[in-house]
């Protein structure tokens, strides 16, 4: 028993020595494996990198988007000029809602106004008929017609010119009369000088007793007569000069009135012309459905004459005839928007084509909006291939306004950078 206890104690001492002094080879091997593992993880985190993905909503369309026509007012169709899936041209009328005007009359007046270039000189006279059914445009049309007729009469007859010519004749007559009076005045002054000299001689003779008193008084009356005649002539000259001044002033007023009247009538014509054209555009916007592009019209319902539509209801869609390329419109939230740049890759999955069966469409960002919309979303344009071929090699049949989801692949970032950025964030906190 004592021997077994001694052996146990000896073994315990040896075990203690081993535990307190482990072999150096084991330590080096363990440390080496640990450091190798750390270096391997760091190297892998430096080698491997992956991008952030921003999910958005996508809409597939063309560089020339389809035209959508909504009803501006609730009402019934007066006339439908096209059939479903019919080819249409730019500015072709598709349909018209019922209104108080006759369509042909409005289009007739519109054509007249489009061909009429309004300017001060009336090179071409236009004929504006009376018996037209224009409904809410009647007031504006009547005002334009009246202003045009007044301006045309003033331009053709030119009443201010007749007044100016009459005033010019009167002015010339007054100038001639004034010149004649000035000549008479010169003669009157000479006559006055002669009469004065005769009076002085008669006065000397009368003082010497050679001339009788009656004869002297007769000479005195003569000089008074000549003097009164000269004064009367001077007054007439003054009145004539005053009349000439008034005539010249009247000529200036007539010239100014002519310009003011012409400008006023022209302004009235321009205002009524502009107002009528604006109301015709408003009438078209409210009641006329018109194609703005060449393409094919598609009915967004079963439309027929006298059928009622509601305000804001989608009536027609015009699909462009030709388009250069396909694009996708992405509606992107503000979160992480700063990472999005032109040239980044985008993967688009369509709602009508499952991704696991058809794959995704690939595109490149071509344009990024600078400001958000009312919902604080940004809009991004993505260029697609000329043919809609997915990542699985399947070609997609294009339909306007196909919807889906998109993933924007931002700039790749190494795992090491992500880890360091996380440490920086924790440190700043």
């Amino acid at each position: 028993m004592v021997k077994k206890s001694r052996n146990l104690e000896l073994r315990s001492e040896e075990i203690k020595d081993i535990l307190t002094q482990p072999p150096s080879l084991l330590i080096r091997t363990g440390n080496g494996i640990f450091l190798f593992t750390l270096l391997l993880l760091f190297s892998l985190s430096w080698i491997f990198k992956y991008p952030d993905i921003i999910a958005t909503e996508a809409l597939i369309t063309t560089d020339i988007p389809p035209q959508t026509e909504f009803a501006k007012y609730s009402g019934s169709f007066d006339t439908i000029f096209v059939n479903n899936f019919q080819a249409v041209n730019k500015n072709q009328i598709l349909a018209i809602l019922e209104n108080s005007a006759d369509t042909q009359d409005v289009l007739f007046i519109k054509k007249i106004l489009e061909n009429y270039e309004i300017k001060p000189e009336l090179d071409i006279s236009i004929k504006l008929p009376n018996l037209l059914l224009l409904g809410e445009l009647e007031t504006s049309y009547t005002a334009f017609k009246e202003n045009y007729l007044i301006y045309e009469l003033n331009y053709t007859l030119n009443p201010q010119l007749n007044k100016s010519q009459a005033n010019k004749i009167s002015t010339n007559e007054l100038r001639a009369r004034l010149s004649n009076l000035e000549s008479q005045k010169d003669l009157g002054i000479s006559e006055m000088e002669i009469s004065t000299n005769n009076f002085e001689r008669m006065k000397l003779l009368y003082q010497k007793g050679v001339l009788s008193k009656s004869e002297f008084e007769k000479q005195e009356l003569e000089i008074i007569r000549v003097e009164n005649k000269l004064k009367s002539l001077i007054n007439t000259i003054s009145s004539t000069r005053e009349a000439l001044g008034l005539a010249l002033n009247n000529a200036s007023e007539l010239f100014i009135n002519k310009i003011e009247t012409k400008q006023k009538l022209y302004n009235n014509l321009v205002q009524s012309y502009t107002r009528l054209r604006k109301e015709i555009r408003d009438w078209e916007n409210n009641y006329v459905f018109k194609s703005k592009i060449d393409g094919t019209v598609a009915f967004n319902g079963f439309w027929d004459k006298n059928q009622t539509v509601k305000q804001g209801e989608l009536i027609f869609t015009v699909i462009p005839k030709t388009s250069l390329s396909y694009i996708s419109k992405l509606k992107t939230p503000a979160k992480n928007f700063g990472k999005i740049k032109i040239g980044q890759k985008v993967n688009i999955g369509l709602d009508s084509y499952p991704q696991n069966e058809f794959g995704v469409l690939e595109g490149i960002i071509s344009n990024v909006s600078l400001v958000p919309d009312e919902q604080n979303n940004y809009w991004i344009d993505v260029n697609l291939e000329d043919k809609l071929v997915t990542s699985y090699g399947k070609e997609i049949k294009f339909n306007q306004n196909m919807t889906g989801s998109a993933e924007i692949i931002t700039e790749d970032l190494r795992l090491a950078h992500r880890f360091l950025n996380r440490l920086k964030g924790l440190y700043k906190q």
Side-chain angles (χ1 to χ4, degrees), residues 70-84:
F70 296 88
K72 301 296 191 305
Y73 286 93
S74 299
S76 302
F77 282 111
D78 178 77
T79 309
I80 300 178
F81 297 98
V82 295
N83 298 318
N84 198 13

Side-chain angles (χ1 to χ4, degrees), residues 368-391:
V368 179
S369 63
L370 300 178
V371 294
D373 59 14
E374 296 178 354
Q375 287 76 34
N376 201 30
N377 293 315
Y378 291 85
W379 288 91
I380 298 173
D381 293 343
V382 177
N383 287 338
L384 303 175
E385 298 292 336
D386 294 338
K387 292 185 177 180
L388 299 180
V389 179
T390 67
S391 56

Side-chain angles (χ1 to χ4, degrees), residues 19-48:
L19 293 176
T20 54
Q21 297 180 357
S24 57
L25 180 61
L26 179 61
I27 295 175
R28 289 197 300 270
T29 303
N31 291 337
I33 293 172
F34 178 73
L35 291 175
F36 176 77
T37 303
L38 289 178
L39 291 174
L40 179 61
L41 292 174
F42 182 77
S43 299
L44 292 176
S45 65
W46 184 262
I47 294 173
F48 293 107

Side-chain angles (χ1 to χ4, degrees), residues 151-402:
Y151 187 79
E152 186 180 36
L153 289 174
N154 183 77
Y155 183 83
T156 305
L157 301 178
N158 199 357
Q160 288 81 9
L161 178 61
N162 297 331
K163 293 180 180 180
S164 298
Q165 290 177 345
N167 186 76
K168 184 177 181 181
I169 294 174
S170 176
T171 301
N172 292 334
E173 290 179 351
L174 287 172
R175 284 198 177 100
R177 183 180 178 187
L178 181 62
S179 177
N180 185 34
L181 291 173
E182 291 288 350
S183 299
Q184 293 181 23
K185 177 185 175 182
D186 294 337
L187 293 175
I189 293 174
S190 298
E191 184 180 6
M192 183 66 185
E193 290 177 352
I194 295 173
S195 297
T196 302
N197 292 333
N198 287 335
F199 177 77
E200 293 296 330
R201 287 195 294 271
M202 291 295 181
K203 184 178 180 180
L204 291 175
L205 293 175
Y206 174 73
Q207 291 176 351
K208 292 179 180 181
V210 177
L211 189 66
S212 64
K213 184 177 180 181
S214 61
E215 290 179 349
F216 175 73
E217 290 177 347
K218 184 184 295 185
Q219 186 62 36
E220 189 175 17
L221 290 174
E222 177 64 18
I223 195 172
I224 293 173
R225 183 190 66 79
V226 172
E227 184 178 3
N228 290 334
K229 179 181 176 181
L230 182 60
K231 288 181 179 180
S232 176
L233 188 61
I234 291 173
N235 291 332
T236 304
I237 290 174
S238 177
S239 299
T240 305
R241 284 177 176 172
E242 183 179 359
L244 180 60
L246 291 175
L248 293 175
N249 183 62
N250 189 35
S252 299
E253 291 181 354
L254 286 173
F255 179 74
I256 294 174
N257 290 335
K258 176 183 177 181
I259 296 176
E260 289 181 346
T261 301
K262 183 178 180 180
Q263 188 63 42
K264 181 180 179 180
L265 295 178
Y266 181 71
N267 290 340
N268 293 337
L269 177 63
V270 171
Q271 291 176 2
S272 59
Y273 171 84
T274 305
R275 187 182 304 111
L276 179 57
R277 293 206 63 176
K278 176 184 179 301
E279 292 195 4
I280 290 177
R281 287 194 299 269
D282 294 340
W283 178 85
E284 288 183 317
N285 290 333
N286 294 333
Y287 303 110
V288 179
F289 300 97
K290 181 187 296 186
S291 174
K292 298 180 177 65
I293 57 176
D294 296 332
T296 302
V297 61
F299 289 16
N300 292 87
F302 299 98
W303 308 129
D304 201 354
K305 185 177 180 180
N306 298 324
Q307 187 172 350
T308 302
V309 295
K310 297 180 180 179
Q311 182 180 2
E313 186 175 3
L314 180 60
I315 308 300
F316 301 109
T317 299
V318 181
I319 302 171
K321 183 177 181 180
T322 58
S323 181
L324 298 177
S325 60
Y326 300 109
I327 61 173
S328 178
K329 297 282 188 179
L330 306 185
K331 183 180 179 181
T332 308
K335 184 178 181 181
N336 294 327
F337 177 77
K339 297 181 179 181
I340 300 175
K341 299 178 182 178
I342 294 177
Q344 291 176 338
K345 183 179 178 182
V346 179
N347 293 329
I348 303 172
L350 301 176
D351 294 338
S352 53
Y353 294 90
Q355 293 187 30
N356 55 357
E357 181 179 353
F358 291 89
V360 297
L361 297 174
E362 297 179 352
I364 300 297
I365 294 178
S366 60
N367 184 53
V368 179
S369 63
L370 300 178
V371 294
D373 59 14
E374 296 178 354
Q375 287 76 34
N376 201 30
N377 293 315
Y378 291 85
W379 288 91
I380 298 173
D381 293 343
V382 177
N383 287 338
L384 303 175
E385 298 292 336
D386 294 338
K387 292 185 177 180
L388 299 180
V389 179
T390 67
S391 56
Y392 289 180
K394 296 184 178 182
E395 185 172 352
I396 300 296
K397 180 182 177 182
F398 173 75
N399 291 312
Q400 281 287 355
N401 297 335
M402 291 190 295

